[in-house]
Amino acid sequence: IGVALNDCDESSSKLEIFTDLYESDILIASPLAVQLTINKGMKNKKGKKIKENSDFLSSIEICVVDGADVMLMQNWSHLSNTFEKLNLAPKVDHGTDFSRLMPQFIHGLSHSWRQNIVISSILEPEINALIREHCNNQAGLIRLLRDYKDGSICQVALQIQQVFQRIPCKQTDLPFKQDEERFTYFKEKVCPSLEHSGGNSWYRSHTAIYVPSYFDYIRLRNELLRREKSKTGNDLSIGTSEAVFVCEYSRRSEIQRSRARFFSGKKPLLVFTGRAHFFNRFQLRGIQHLILFGLPLHPQIYPELLNMIEKGNGIDPASCLVLYTPKEKLALQRIVGRERTERMFKDDKHTFMFA
């Protein structure tokens, strides 16, 4: 949306919305809308097609990112691509009065004079990388950070043993390698505990697995289907498996059907993504055993998930298992607090229990 501020006379002015992008003083847009506008392209004076049109971002002086934590739950590359296109030299002049150009725009230094304001309820490595790479103002940088003393774990109302398992990998390992180590640990250590030999069901009943990343969700789903197929010998698919899978791309009818089958016990295992819970905030009933494949970005989600757990019986009490890696240190601080986080990374042992 383009907003123009026009002077009516010496004492008053008017505000116009939905103005042309090149005649606007303020642009209000989502990262996806900016990316779609850039990809539309444009034509130069000779009528030749230009693939990318980022000229409307060439004169930005103040850039405000409101709700960066919510954008993390979307496609973050749209926001980073938008910052890469800011203050580039325009390909077409668009009727610019060059006599009014400021020196920093002429010399290609306007990005160093641009004021950047990033507002987020949490801090993540992606936000730090965005600030480090694209927010290099010549006046410096100011950060206002929140100190997490206790964390959101104090909001858990249910008295349950919460086991935090640190994946055995180095802090210097690349993020993709830490993900590989976590997936290997899940296959070798966690998957055998999910298998239930007695009864008619293949999995341990009333077990839910929370997966923050959609890509890890796909790998987990395929691994569970492969293991179930190798044990039963049946030709399985997502619909015929004893587990139900819910992601952000699932239809509302599929989500309701999966929740009902899991609650009634017809399906003993539920696997769902972090985005599916973040955008829907559904109440999952029937959970007695919860496994967090990774830490949620937003700290309030952790007590939300644990407060949905129902008390088990004396033979099979309720349980919670959390897997975490060094790259999730900021997320762990928001859940258990800063001091506990330092101890959980420096200690020689890899398993920590909260009750």
Side-chain angles (χ1 to χ4, degrees):
I1 300 176
V3 180
L5 304 175
N6 300 320
D7 294 332
C8 297
D9 49 45
E10 296 181 355
S11 61
S12 63
S13 61
K14 65 178 180 179
L15 186 146
E16 297 181 5
I17 61 175
F18 299 104
T19 56
D20 186 78
L21 296 180
Y22 297 98
E23 298 177 357
S24 302
D25 298 296
I26 303 173
L27 297 180
I28 304 174
S30 65
L32 177 59
V34 173
Q35 193 64 35
L36 292 175
T37 304
I38 292 175
N39 294 337
K40 282 182 180 179
M42 64 176 178
K43 292 183 179 181
N44 57 16
K45 292 183 178 180
K46 296 181 180 180
K48 186 177 180 180
K49 179 72 173 181
I50 300 177
K51 291 184 178 180
E52 291 187 349
N53 173 26
S54 60
D55 289 359
F56 63 97
L57 300 175
S58 60
S59 59
I60 300 296
E61 298 182 21
I62 300 176
C63 181
V64 180
V65 181
D66 190 7
D69 56 306
V70 179
M71 297 178 188
L72 283 170
M73 304 304 295
Q74 303 169 1
N75 194 336
W76 183 257
S77 63
H78 291 328
L79 182 61
S80 59
N81 292 338
T82 298
F83 268 82
E84 291 177 358
K85 302 298 182 181
L86 291 177
N87 301 118
L88 296 179
K91 300 174 182 178
V92 182
D93 58 21
H94 302 283
T96 304
D97 185 1
F98 291 95
S99 63
R100 300 182 59 188
L101 281 179
M102 291 181 285
Q104 59 264 30
F105 285 93
I106 298 176
H107 298 294
L109 301 175
S110 55
H111 64 278
S112 298
W113 294 79
R114 184 183 70 239
Q115 182 179 0
N116 305 280
I117 303 174
V118 181
I119 304 173
S120 175
S121 63
I122 61 175
L123 184 63
E124 278 295 296
E126 292 85 352
I127 299 178
N128 282 331
L130 181 75
I131 296 174
R132 183 177 61 254
E133 295 177 7
H134 302 291
C135 301
N136 300 317
N137 190 282
Q138 52 88 27
L141 174 68
I142 297 177
R143 294 193 187 204
L144 300 177
L145 303 179
R146 178 181 176 183
D147 185 18
Y148 295 91
K149 295 183 179 180
D150 298 324
S152 62
I153 195 172
C154 299
Q155 302 174 13
V156 177
L158 182 66
Q159 292 186 357
I160 182 176
Q161 290 184 349
Q162 307 161 50
V163 179
F164 285 76
Q165 179 66 45
R166 189 177 73 208
I167 304 301
C169 56
K170 300 179 181 179
Q171 295 190 15
T172 56
D173 290 344
L174 295 175
F176 78 90
K177 189 174 182 180
Q178 296 184 27
D179 291 337
E180 290 292 337
E181 293 291 341
R182 191 209 316 258
F183 184 69
T184 302
Y185 182 90
F186 181 85
K187 289 194 301 182
E188 297 177 354
K189 303 295 183 181
V190 181
C191 278
S193 65
L194 294 176
E195 300 172 359
H196 181 60
S197 57
N200 297 325
S201 68
W202 168 249
Y203 297 108
R204 189 181 186 183
S205 62
H206 298 287
T207 301
I209 303 178
Y210 172 88
V211 189
S213 170
Y214 177 76
F215 301 104
D216 290 333
Y217 163 81
I218 296 296
R219 297 179 65 185
L220 232 67
R221 184 193 66 187
N222 295 340
E223 175 64 20
L224 292 174
L225 291 176
R226 185 192 65 80
R227 294 176 69 93
E228 187 176 349
K229 180 180 179 180
S230 63
K231 297 293 183 180
T232 60
N234 300 328
D235 189 12
L236 294 175
S237 62
I238 298 177
T240 58
S241 172
E242 290 195 12
V244 288
F245 305 92
V246 175
C247 67
E248 55 267 32
Y249 302 108
S250 301
R251 296 190 300 269
R252 185 172 295 273
S253 59
E254 294 176 346
I255 296 176
Q256 293 176 351
R257 185 164 55 249
S258 299
R259 291 172 58 193
R261 290 178 178 178
F262 176 74
F263 173 65
S264 63
K266 294 181 180 179
K267 298 291 184 178
L269 180 63
L270 169 66
V271 183
F272 63 104
T273 63
R275 289 183 179 179
H277 178 76
F278 180 82
F279 290 112
N280 294 284
R281 282 300 205 277
F282 36 66
Q283 181 73 19
L284 295 174
R285 297 184 299 171
I287 299 178
Q288 293 183 6
H289 310 285
L290 178 63
I291 299 175
L292 276 73
F293 186 78
L295 297 175
L297 294 181
H298 297 79
Q300 67 271 20
I301 292 182
Y302 182 79
E304 283 181 12
L305 295 175
L306 266 73
N307 289 333
M308 290 189 294
I309 298 178
E310 300 177 359
K311 294 183 178 180
N313 50 41
I315 302 176
D316 191 16
S319 62
C320 175
L321 173 64
V322 183
L323 307 180
Y324 69 95
T325 59
K327 73 171 187 177
E328 298 172 300
K329 185 175 182 179
L330 293 174
L332 187 62
Q333 284 183 0
R334 297 189 289 268
I335 294 177
V336 302
R338 174 174 46 82
E339 295 182 359
R340 296 192 187 103
T341 299
E342 296 296 332
R343 188 167 60 251
M344 292 170 68
F345 277 106
K346 293 180 180 179
D347 205 312
D348 294 335
K349 63 180 182 179
H350 292 74
T351 304
F352 302 87
M353 182 179 294
F354 295 84

